[in-house]
Amino acid sequence: MDKSITASQNAVAGATAGVISRLVIAPLDVVKIRLQIQSSAKPILSASFRNTRPPPKYTGIIQSMALIVREEGVKGLWKGNWPAEYLYLTYGAVQFLVYHEWQKSTTGLLPETPRSFIGGAISGCVATFATYPLDLLRTRFAMQGASRIYTSLYGACREIHQTEGIPGFYRGVWPSILQIAPYMGIMFAVQGKLSETFERIESPYWNHAWDQFTSGGVAGMLSKTAVMPFDVVRKRLQVQGPSRKSYILSDIPRYNGGFFACARQIAVHEGLGALYKGLWPGLVKTAPSSAITFWVVGECRRMFGAYNDRTRSRQ
């Protein structure tokens, strides 16, 4: 690891990667959120034993995208993108700043893989708590239909503050922390190990320019699968509150209690499989997102390293 790269340069690299990756995967994120929040509770039977519950509105990636475009226009696939861009920019900056500062300060103290896991977990938790209100806003904007509850970032912040108070900005924060620690720990540990493995490949058919991209994509898919239930519960808790019935999915259940109570209610009424709702769009989204993130960060750090070397050589 190039220790000449400053903390501010690591932050810029992370922020740049966050903005670029978010722009690419925004439509998949909207689809994933809607699939996760859509309830599939056991059907209610009438006196004639006919199913009175309507079928799910969203059933898959392609069908969901087509339906969103038909009902809300192409821009509907980028709903909540501005809060999300602020989120990814800030999150990426904080995460890679904390991670690389951890790596610098713990060199030689731990084996590399556990050190990467702990660094990823710590940086993920710090970045998540610092940016959580933006994540909540991103989810609520993505859940709006043609009739909007929130018309601007300022209006959304004011409405949430007036009706739910400061705690309203942190609904579901603890499931997020529980999710992000193993998620980022696994991602950074796997990405680091794979990247080292790829660097040792000596073959004319292997392009080392894509080491960071490939290792990041694989690491993202493995870590996302491991923590998917936490993500589903977090999204369900984020859309609780006074506006719960006003989103594009108006049958969102009410969850009393915290993470474990919500997870139990989902499992009982919808089955254990519901805790993995949105897994496929999540994987389709996570693979390019994490691949782009690690590739952009790697390229930014390489350019910063070259710039620092040139600066030192002139002195």
Side-chain angles (χ1 to χ4, degrees):
M1 184 174 66
D2 190 346
K3 292 187 176 182
S4 71
I5 297 173
T6 66
S8 60
Q9 288 172 335
N10 280 320
V12 171
T16 304
V19 170
I20 294 173
S21 65
R22 169 62 204 181
L23 193 63
V24 173
I25 56 87
L28 291 166
D29 196 36
V30 169
V31 170
K32 179 181 75 76
I33 289 173
R34 295 198 182 184
L35 285 171
Q36 286 179 325
I37 293 174
Q38 177 175 255
S39 175
S40 59
K42 293 175 182 177
I44 302 169
L45 299 180
S46 64
S48 60
F49 298 98
R50 291 181 180 175
N51 185 0
T52 59
R53 188 181 185 87
K57 183 170 184 175
Y58 304 110
T59 58
I61 300 176
I62 303 301
Q63 180 270 345
S64 299
M65 283 188 172
L67 184 59
I68 291 170
V69 170
R70 187 165 64 249
E71 292 185 344
E72 306 166 45
V74 175
K75 290 194 294 185
L77 294 173
W78 273 268
K79 271 194 175 174
N81 194 50
W82 282 114
E85 286 289 3
Y86 298 142
L87 164 66
Y88 274 60
L89 184 152
T90 311
Y91 189 99
V94 174
Q95 181 182 43
F96 281 94
L97 185 154
V98 172
Y99 177 75
H100 286 292
E101 289 303 302
W102 162 267
Q103 293 292 86
K104 284 182 185 178
S105 62
T106 58
T107 302
L109 298 181
L110 291 169
E112 188 57 34
T113 299
R115 189 163 70 102
S116 295
F117 180 91
I118 296 170
I122 292 173
S123 63
C125 289
V126 172
T128 295
F129 197 82
T131 62
Y132 192 78
L134 289 169
D135 188 27
L136 182 133
L137 287 166
R138 181 267 304 253
T139 299
R140 294 200 177 184
F141 272 102
M143 282 303 297
Q144 293 190 126
S147 57
R148 295 188 171 191
I149 304 167
Y150 310 116
T151 57
S152 67
L153 273 177
Y154 174 75
C157 292
R158 184 178 59 186
E159 174 74 16
I160 293 170
H161 183 263
Q162 288 177 347
T163 59
E164 304 173 54
I166 296 297
F169 289 100
Y170 286 89
R171 285 185 184 271
V173 67
W174 295 117
S176 296
I177 297 294
L178 286 173
Q179 173 205 1
I180 211 66
Y183 177 52
M184 285 302 170
I186 294 169
M187 183 181 291
F188 275 89
V190 172
Q191 192 275 336
K193 196 68 177 176
L194 285 176
S195 184
E196 288 178 9
T197 302
F198 292 154
E199 286 173 2
R200 290 196 294 268
I201 295 176
E202 296 181 2
S203 170
Y205 302 105
W206 184 264
N207 187 346
H208 286 285
W210 297 100
D211 286 354
Q212 297 292 324
F213 186 91
T214 307
S215 58
V218 174
M221 289 191 291
L222 290 176
S223 55
K224 172 58 76 174
T225 302
V227 302
M228 193 65 184
F230 291 97
D231 197 30
V232 172
V233 172
R234 176 171 65 104
K235 288 292 185 289
R236 296 279 182 106
L237 289 174
Q238 282 182 334
V239 292
Q240 298 294 294
S243 303
R244 177 171 57 91
K245 294 290 186 180
S246 303
Y247 294 108
I248 195 162
L249 295 171
S250 58
D251 62 343
I252 299 170
R254 180 175 181 178
Y255 300 106
N256 297 313
F259 169 78
F260 292 107
C262 179
R264 181 179 179 279
Q265 189 173 335
I266 293 170
V268 168
H269 292 284
E270 304 177 48
L272 289 173
L275 292 171
Y276 284 87
K277 275 189 170 185
L279 177 61
W280 286 115
L283 292 178
V284 173
K285 165 203 163 187
T286 298
S289 175
S290 54
I292 291 168
T293 296
F294 280 102
W295 181 74
V296 172
V297 167
E299 289 301 298
C300 286
R301 284 172 54 81
R302 182 181 62 79
M303 289 188 289
F304 282 135
Y307 170 79
N308 293 343
D309 289 343
R310 288 196 302 270
T311 303
R312 281 196 302 270
S313 66
R314 294 195 204 101
Q315 294 174 349

